[in-house]
Amino acid sequence: MSKHTVAVIDYGMGNLHSVASALEYVGKNVDVIVTADAEKILAADRVVFPGVGAIRDCMAEILRLGVDQVVAEVAATKPMLAICVGMQALMTRSEENHGVDCLGVFPGEVKFFGNPLVDNSGQKLKVPHMGWNQLHQTKAHPLWEGIQQDSRFYFVHSYYVHADDPSLIAATAGYGVDIHAALHRDNIFAVQCHPEKSSDMGLKLLSNFLKWSGQG
Amino acid sequence: MGLAKRIIPCLDVDNGRVVKGVNFVDIRDAGDPVEVAKRYNQQGADEITFLDITATHEGRDTTIHTVENIASEVFIPLTVGGGIRSVEDIRTMLNAGADKVGINSAAINNPDLIKIAAERFGSQCIVVAIDAKQVSTEGQPLRWEIFTHGGRNPTGIDAVEWAKKMVTNGAGEILLTSMDRDGTKNGFDLALTRAISDAVSVPVIASGGVGNLDHLVDGVLKGGADAVLAASIFHFAEYSVPEAKRYMAERGIEVRL
């Protein structure tokens, strides 16, 4: 029997080494491939859609390589985990780089944190939102299994997701504004934080993803 | 509740070996950066900073392998600094598995490097390291300048203005070291930390001078640091990372426990 395959979509934006090696670390019997090849992605059992850097460059590469078509097909068929800018790319539109149209898999916007950004007590907050913040789970989901409510995950981003449909929200995080830090619909799960950099809790999330049927 | 203040142990690495010694009692090889990084991860360190002090060209390949080995076993953010001079150096380190690179003298020699690097790789991975020293004398308004070569060479550049300029150019974070305090164990230069932290919109990591846990607390509460970096107090097991975090939490600082 062939190994279970996870494709990490590589559209040339930044280093995917850490996502791939974290998946290899938790999935002893999993074959991790880092690729932009549509055939290989569509043949995989599950797909990770990462992203790093500026959204304009990411979207340009996604369109140039035809990754938009692949993502649309994956989104309709198999378990997919989008991470950070990968999550942002799934939204309708981003305010970054003077406004960029995204893939529109999830209705909603990616907004700038704003400058100045302040917390409840009027204290100035730094942007990017960088470091370990609490992920507040807002619905039960197989990917949260074994992860305590309000566990801390590593974030680094200057723009945040706001989903139009509250039923999509799987977790929130607070940083001056209410960040929709995880979204879920059917077989698609998306997180703003970096599970591959979030130590034990992050590895747990990735290991849950590798077991996830893509339902519930 | 919100974002936690970060504690970052710093490893000085020369030719693939941790120098300045590490004193974990039950560690197999205290000179192996991978073993040391794993141990800090188990202790709950929020990030690891790896300062490469390798002087030789051949040694740089060893550094790349070390970064690869850490990145395949330790799943917290890793910053690599020391000897990063070009876009190519940055790419090499990021491809090896570093999440961020620390750029020091190269930014002074070529401020556009930060601009180009931030555009190419994103601000989130560009840390500008600033080594500053107080130049004002008593009675004068406080003023700090950038120094190079371990604090020996003045540049005439004002530290606060420089930090602002680097952020405008695209730095995503500032690693601020007081050359007056580095190695003294007398605590951070809090006035310097506060001046830089108030002047920039991005996170500031305070470094240089930590001798006890109150110094970490002061760095956050008085200096306004978003993260605190320390080497010897952790390496020599004077304090552990969990001890430091509990101490900070008891004083009202939000940390990841």
Side-chain angles (χ1 to χ4, degrees):
Chain A
M1 195 185 124
S2 72
K3 268 176 145 185
H4 188 102
T5 310
V6 184
V8 178
I9 304 181
D10 178 13
Y11 48 98
M13 292 304 296
N15 159 46
L16 307 178
H17 172 106
S18 51
V19 180
S21 60
L23 288 165
E24 274 161 5
Y25 190 86
V26 295
K28 297 298 174 211
N29 204 26
V30 168
D31 209 3
V32 180
I33 50 170
V34 178
T35 181
D37 185 327
E39 241 174 83
K40 285 187 187 155
I41 295 167
L42 295 174
D45 297 294
R46 55 192 73 235
V47 172
V48 174
F49 183 41
V52 65
I55 193 75
R56 183 188 51 209
D57 299 345
C58 283
M59 281 307 302
E61 284 307 288
I62 285 169
L63 297 176
R64 190 178 69 81
L65 296 167
V67 166
D68 54 328
Q69 311 279 340
V70 181
V71 168
E73 207 165 324
V74 170
T77 51
K78 56 186 82 190
M80 173 163 78
L81 176 65
I83 299 173
C84 194
V85 178
M87 175 196 202
Q88 298 185 357
L90 293 183
M91 307 309 293
T92 314
R93 198 169 181 284
S94 172
E95 278 182 6
E96 195 177 357
N97 305 127
H98 310 293
V100 173
D101 286 332
C102 300
L103 298 171
V105 172
F106 289 138
E109 273 222 77
V110 185
K111 303 175 174 204
F112 184 54
F113 273 114
N115 193 7
L117 180 71
V118 291
D119 68 10
N120 298 339
S121 54
Q123 191 80 25
K124 182 180 99 170
L125 296 173
K126 302 296 183 74
V127 178
H129 172 222
M130 184 188 286
W132 298 79
N133 206 338
Q134 290 176 302
L135 208 49
H136 186 75
Q137 301 160 23
T138 51
K139 61 172 160 182
H141 192 278
L143 263 72
W144 297 142
E145 199 199 306
I147 297 174
Q148 260 188 8
Q149 178 63 294
D150 296 324
S151 290
R152 288 185 186 274
F153 282 74
Y154 188 78
F155 288 80
V156 50
H157 58 127
S158 300
Y159 292 79
Y160 69 97
V161 165
H162 182 91
D164 292 342
D165 177 0
S167 76
L168 294 178
I169 304 166
T172 58
Y175 193 62
V177 295
D178 210 14
I179 302 164
H180 295 167
L183 300 180
H184 162 250
R185 189 186 65 213
D186 305 327
N187 54 309
I188 314 165
F189 202 89
V191 286
Q192 177 65 66
C193 55
H194 289 271
E196 76 281 11
K197 286 290 150 189
S198 296
S199 198
D200 297 346
M201 286 300 109
L203 296 176
K204 182 68 185 151
L205 183 92
L206 292 176
S207 128
N208 289 343
F209 172 68
L210 293 179
K211 284 184 259 172
W212 183 37
S213 66
Q215 284 154 10
Chain B
M1 296 298 272
L3 192 64
K5 300 297 177 185
R6 289 169 279 155
I7 293 191
I8 309 177
C10 176
L11 315 180
D12 284 4
V13 179
D14 185 7
N15 274 302
R17 302 289 293 170
V18 177
V19 294
K20 283 202 218 163
V22 174
N23 189 22
F24 292 125
V25 277
D26 52 346
I27 199 165
R28 204 173 57 222
D29 178 0
D32 179 1
V34 182
E35 292 285 313
V36 174
K38 270 181 169 169
R39 176 53 53 94
Y40 281 129
N41 175 38
Q42 284 162 11
Q43 285 197 351
D46 298 308
E47 296 187 27
I48 304 278
T49 286
F50 173 124
L51 185 62
D52 181 26
I53 58 170
T54 306
T56 61
H57 187 67
E58 302 76 56
R60 302 287 296 170
D61 289 338
T62 311
T63 305
I64 295 162
H65 291 308
T66 306
V67 172
E68 282 170 352
N69 290 337
I70 294 178
S72 58
E73 292 195 62
V74 181
F75 299 100
I76 57 176
L78 173 66
T79 302
V80 179
I84 308 279
R85 292 193 179 84
S86 64
V87 167
E88 204 39 52
D89 289 341
I90 298 170
R91 188 197 315 279
T92 303
M93 284 308 165
L94 295 178
N95 283 341
D99 298 287
K100 314 182 212 178
V101 290
I103 304 171
N104 193 334
S105 352
I108 298 166
N109 300 332
N110 175 16
D112 280 346
L113 175 62
I114 302 304
K115 213 180 267 178
I116 298 164
E119 267 169 30
R120 190 78 54 90
F121 307 108
S123 289
Q124 82 289 337
C125 66
I126 306 299
V127 182
V128 169
I130 295 179
D131 292 347
K133 222 169 161 172
Q134 188 179 328
V135 291
S136 51
T137 51
E138 231 181 291
Q140 290 182 325
L142 284 168
R143 191 169 175 278
W144 300 267
E145 272 181 18
I146 308 294
F147 277 68
T148 60
H149 299 85
R152 290 193 303 277
N153 297 3
T155 61
I157 303 169
D158 181 88
V160 175
E161 291 309 313
W162 179 248
K164 287 200 238 176
K165 181 176 174 181
M166 288 297 99
V167 171
T168 306
N169 280 7
E173 192 170 37
I174 301 287
L175 168 55
L176 176 66
T177 304
S178 161
M179 299 313 285
D180 298 310
R181 298 301 180 93
D182 204 24
T184 66
K185 298 208 159 209
N186 290 332
F188 298 120
D189 182 336
L190 297 174
L192 169 67
T193 309
R194 174 54 76 182
I196 302 275
S197 184
D198 284 350
V200 299
S201 55
V202 303
V204 172
I205 305 167
S207 156
V210 175
N212 62 47
L213 300 182
D214 284 312
H215 293 155
L216 300 178
V217 171
D218 289 345
V220 171
L221 296 183
K222 296 181 183 160
D226 301 282
V228 286
L229 180 139
S232 55
I233 63 159
F234 297 133
H235 295 337
F236 299 123
E238 291 164 32
Y239 303 97
S240 69
V241 174
E243 230 179 314
K245 287 191 165 183
R246 277 195 300 274
Y247 194 84
M248 291 167 81
E250 282 162 12
R251 278 144 195 88
I253 298 172
E254 200 164 338
V255 292
R256 177 177 71 110
L257 288 168

